[in-house]
Amino acid sequence: MSPPIHDYFLELLPANFDTMAILSLTATIVATMIALIFAISQILIQQSSTKFSIKVAEYFYKDRYLLISLSFGFSTIISSLIGIWVNFGPQYYAIIFVYFLIFLTSLIMYYFNFDSYLRADKIADRIKSSLQKCLNGNNNDGIDCFEKNSEILTEITKSCLRARDRESANNFIKSYISILRSLAINTKNTKIQNKERIKFVQIIYKNLYNIFEESIFEDSPVLDRYWIHFNEILHYSLDSNIKNETSKYVQTFTKLIIDSEQYNQYKREIHAFCYNSNINSISFSFESQINQIRYRDEIKELNYLINFKINTDINAKSEIESEIFEICDNINNNKDSNIQIETDKLIFNLSNLESTLIVHNLFFDVGSYLVYCIDIGKIDARSYLKELFDCTNPRTNMTNILNQPPIILDPFHLLCAYFYHGSGDKYYYVSPETSLYSNSFVDPIEYRQKFLLLSIGFCYLKKNNWTSIPHYSSNDKKEIADYFEFLELCLENSEAFHETIMEIETEKEYWYPLFGVEFYNIISELYSWNSLLEEKSGEILNKLDQHPHVDGTENGSITKRL
């Protein structure tokens, strides 16, 4: 049987061991070391606060090695003082010796950890770790913890920007971006509830806005590095609510840089969002799958959902997914065992389409705001519009497919953005909370309409489905009613479109530089397009009005008003 540990301890002591002297010396040494810790820590906090922010001190006092060393240091002192007056025997001295060793070890670790309070990347890792712990908190406690730590991170980042230390600021912003991506994209790998997830995302975006605003005020912009992350969140997040929240804040960030006349920042944003899913490639993928189907009714229904419904109501994506699953199950299980429609591919393409339309609607708003800025003389935004319409990223064989403008230059998609904006509501209502004009007290309809027609003018330049009108061949009552409403909107707005085209023509000094020598051709073509749209819409509406499925719908009969 091995001897007790205190026997080994006693062998280390000299023969003339003086208990009181040794314990007194131990307490004195430890007390001196603790005083040294406080002195060095004060210098460290002062340097870190000067370089970053006083908020760093909150993490300093939570340092694991500091807390351990102080705990065992004071335990060693108290135990030694007690041991001077009361003789507990060798076992007690062994315990004091263990305390002293733990104190010394943690003190050494703390010493070698000093630089973590002077390096931005190390501090960022500490705060990121704290934020991650908050994510795993319980409901409101986790959210409150996350918000408090986010405020600290934001204050530190803003201090770096004021000191023109962009490198350190970017290290802190990367902590936000990393957590934002994990919340938005890796949704299956966490146990966070959807409501809490949205709140965490909102807190991050709110703090990022404060940081970006400070960076522009201090003339030290940092936003250009992060557009690509927002674009990826819009495309790869599986949560539609997060996509909508991201779209809202990207719009807010964009307004910030436009109002601050940060053209280079804006240009980098457009370049980031140019690497967007190409609407034509998505449509081709859908068509290649749908063409496998031999059943006319299913083809019509899928075409309606993919080519029309999602364009007018992005919020109906979940409902559309369910309908696609039902149609595909019906084909795969009940009709022809030789035909297996790959439902997952259809849903994947639907998600890509949803993301592309969110970006399209987002930049439709941005474009209308640029028209507003030109109209009131706020800034000369024509170069901004030019960049939006005609992305100037270098095109190669590898990037040409994905390298497209953020807005879809196609009359049908532009009309859907103008009429519905993906909300599913006739005549999209711009809420003050999300509007680019929230502080301007203006009705954006005039500027949205002008931007619509300018965009269609660029469709003519690029020959993109110049005169396209959706094809309607369904017998479903709901589908007919939706088509009916869209065409009715086209017809109702034709006169207003004509007046806006005339207004653009009279504002030659504004718009001629945008189109160059093609300006008069575009004006002529816009008149022709509007007349053709009115004529075709009227013809189709007359036919649809005789359709039995139109009777009794909320649209009513239109032939009496034609």
Side-chain angles (χ1 to χ4, degrees):
M1 183 174 179
S2 60
I5 188 170
H6 60 78
D7 289 349
Y8 292 112
F9 174 71
L10 290 174
E11 291 177 5
L12 297 174
L13 298 176
N16 57 345
F17 170 62
D18 187 341
T19 305
M20 292 183 61
I22 294 295
L23 291 178
S24 177
L25 180 62
T26 301
T28 303
I29 291 173
V30 173
T32 304
M33 286 183 173
I34 290 176
L36 187 63
I37 289 175
F38 277 112
I40 294 174
S41 298
Q42 289 302 314
I43 297 172
L44 190 65
I45 291 173
Q46 185 178 4
Q47 288 183 345
S48 185
S49 299
T50 302
K51 186 175 181 180
F52 302 112
S53 169
I54 191 62
K55 296 286 186 179
V56 176
E58 294 197 29
Y59 291 94
F60 172 82
Y61 291 121
K62 297 176 184 177
D63 186 279
R64 178 176 54 186
Y65 297 119
L66 174 63
L67 294 176
I68 292 173
S69 61
L70 289 177
S71 298
F72 281 93
F74 284 116
S75 297
T76 303
I77 293 172
I78 294 169
S79 301
S80 298
L81 293 176
I82 293 173
I84 292 173
W85 299 102
V86 181
N87 185 7
F88 290 107
Q91 291 183 343
Y92 186 72
Y93 305 143
I95 292 172
I96 295 175
F97 183 67
V98 171
Y99 281 172
F100 180 74
L101 288 179
I102 295 174
F103 164 73
L104 196 61
T105 303
S106 58
L107 187 62
I108 293 171
M109 295 300 295
Y110 175 62
Y111 172 78
F112 284 109
N113 204 36
F114 276 175
D115 71 324
S116 66
Y117 292 100
L118 298 174
R119 288 174 51 184
D121 57 334
K122 296 290 186 179
I123 296 174
D125 288 341
R126 283 180 178 276
I127 301 177
K128 180 181 173 182
S129 176
S130 297
L131 289 170
Q132 292 283 10
K133 289 178 182 177
C134 296
L135 291 177
N136 299 322
N138 296 320
N139 301 327
N140 292 333
D141 290 340
I143 293 170
D144 291 341
C145 168
F146 191 86
E147 193 161 16
K148 180 182 177 182
N149 282 275
S150 296
E151 288 172 359
I152 295 172
L153 179 56
T154 298
E155 183 56 40
I156 295 172
T157 309
K158 289 165 75 173
S159 296
C160 293
L161 291 170
R162 294 185 197 108
R164 298 292 193 275
D165 187 359
R166 291 179 63 181
E167 183 179 353
S168 296
N170 278 310
N171 277 316
F172 294 124
I173 295 171
K174 285 175 185 176
S175 298
Y176 271 136
I177 297 298
S178 175
I179 294 173
L180 178 63
R181 288 177 65 93
S182 68
L183 285 168
I185 298 176
N186 303 324
T187 54
K188 292 184 178 180
N189 299 330
T190 60
K191 299 179 181 179
I192 305 170
Q193 298 297 318
N194 286 336
K195 284 186 178 180
E196 293 175 5
R197 188 187 306 278
I198 292 296
K199 288 181 180 178
F200 288 133
V201 168
Q202 288 172 339
I203 290 170
I204 292 176
Y205 278 131
K206 181 184 72 174
N207 282 280
L208 283 175
Y209 179 83
N210 291 334
I211 291 170
F212 296 148
E213 187 177 39
E214 183 72 26
S215 73
I216 290 175
F217 179 77
E218 295 294 338
D219 195 25
S220 184
V222 293
L223 184 54
D224 54 303
R225 297 188 182 191
Y226 304 105
W227 292 121
I228 191 67
H229 295 287
F230 302 140
N231 188 30
E232 288 177 357
I233 288 170
L234 285 173
H235 277 82
Y236 301 127
S237 176
L238 300 176
D239 190 325
S240 295
N241 291 323
I242 289 179
K243 287 184 178 183
N244 290 330
E245 200 67 30
T246 301
S247 173
K248 182 179 78 174
Y249 274 95
V250 168
Q251 190 181 89
T252 307
F253 299 154
T254 307
K255 182 181 187 300
L256 176 64
I257 61 175
I258 291 173
D259 290 348
S260 306
E261 298 188 56
Q262 298 281 330
Y263 177 71
N264 288 332
Q265 293 277 311
Y266 170 83
K267 191 172 182 178
R268 291 188 182 99
E269 175 189 10
I270 299 300
H271 287 190
F273 281 93
C274 277
Y275 293 102
N276 199 9
S277 297
N278 188 338
I279 192 71
N280 294 324
S281 64
I282 295 173
S283 298
F284 178 79
S285 298
F286 276 128
E287 288 174 9
S288 62
Q289 285 186 279
I290 293 174
N291 285 339
Q292 302 176 46
I293 306 173
R294 303 171 189 172
Y295 310 104
R296 187 169 178 79
D297 289 341
E298 280 76 5
I299 290 176
K300 288 178 184 177
E301 192 170 355
L302 284 171
N303 276 327
Y304 161 74
L305 294 172
I306 293 163
N307 296 323
F308 186 85
K309 181 65 176 176
I310 188 71
N311 281 278
T312 61
D313 189 3
I314 298 173
N315 298 324
K317 184 202 167 196
S318 299
E319 175 190 337
I320 293 170
E321 277 185 358
S322 300
E323 293 185 48
I324 288 176
F325 275 119
E326 186 177 340
I327 293 168
C328 292
D329 287 345
N330 185 39
I331 293 170
N332 293 338
N333 299 329
N334 302 329
K335 293 207 170 182
D336 193 339
S337 59
N338 296 322
I339 298 177
Q340 289 293 316
I341 302 302
E342 296 182 66
T343 313
D344 290 342
K345 284 187 177 180
L346 278 173
I347 299 302
F348 175 77
N349 285 325
L350 182 69
S351 181
N352 276 343
L353 181 58
E354 176 200 32
S355 302
T356 302
L357 293 174
I358 287 174
V359 172
H360 169 65
N361 288 324
L362 187 163
F363 282 96
F364 190 95
D365 281 347
V366 169
S368 67
Y369 181 69
L370 290 170
V371 172
Y372 162 75
C373 290
I374 294 172
D375 188 67
I376 66 171
K378 190 172 186 178
I379 61 170
D380 185 0
R382 287 170 296 189
S383 56
Y384 292 75
L385 276 175
K386 180 72 173 175
E387 190 68 31
L388 179 58
F389 286 134
D390 190 17
C391 173
T392 56
N393 264 359
R395 293 176 181 266
T396 66
N397 291 334
M398 296 297 292
T399 63
N400 192 50
I401 293 177
L402 293 178
N403 192 5
Q404 301 292 327
I407 59 169
I408 303 170
L409 291 176
D410 171 88
F412 170 65
H413 291 97
L414 291 166
L415 285 168
C416 284
Y418 176 69
F419 291 144
Y420 302 98
H421 202 266
S423 68
D425 297 324
K426 179 179 177 180
Y427 289 127
Y428 168 67
Y429 169 69
V430 183
S431 64
E433 292 80 11
T434 60
S435 171
L436 288 162
Y437 314 87
S438 56
N439 298 323
S440 307
F441 304 102
V442 297
D443 185 355
I445 295 298
E446 172 188 350
Y447 306 108
R448 286 170 58 80
Q449 189 173 103
K450 190 173 288 185
F451 177 72
L452 165 71
L453 293 164
L454 290 170
S455 302
I456 291 174
F458 263 88
C459 291
Y460 166 74
L461 284 181
K462 295 177 178 291
K463 310 299 181 186
N464 289 351
N465 297 323
W466 174 234
T467 58
S468 65
I469 290 182
H471 180 64
Y472 313 103
S473 59
S474 175
N475 288 318
D476 181 80
K477 182 176 181 179
K478 179 66 172 66
E479 294 175 27
I480 290 293
D482 287 345
Y483 291 142
F484 192 98
E485 179 183 86
F486 175 79
L487 292 171
E488 189 176 22
L489 288 171
C490 292
L491 195 61
E492 286 178 357
N493 283 271
S494 60
E495 186 176 345
F497 289 164
H498 183 85
E499 291 175 359
T500 303
I501 296 169
M502 290 177 63
E503 186 178 345
I504 293 173
E505 186 177 15
T506 59
E507 296 173 345
K508 175 184 173 182
E509 69 277 9
Y510 289 154
W511 310 118
Y512 187 89
L514 191 63
F515 296 105
V517 294
E518 291 288 339
F519 176 75
Y520 292 109
N521 288 336
I522 286 174
I523 293 297
S524 175
E525 291 295 334
L526 282 174
Y527 282 125
S528 300
W529 169 82
N530 189 45
S531 298
L532 185 62
L533 182 69
E534 182 179 8
E535 179 184 342
K536 284 190 174 183
S537 298
E539 288 176 3
I540 299 173
L541 282 170
N542 273 315
K543 292 178 182 177
L544 288 178
D545 197 45
Q546 308 303 319
H547 199 287
H549 287 171
V550 175
D551 295 338
T553 66
E554 62 182 3
N555 298 286
S557 177
I558 196 173
T559 50
K560 295 178 182 178
R561 289 180 274 133
L562 291 175

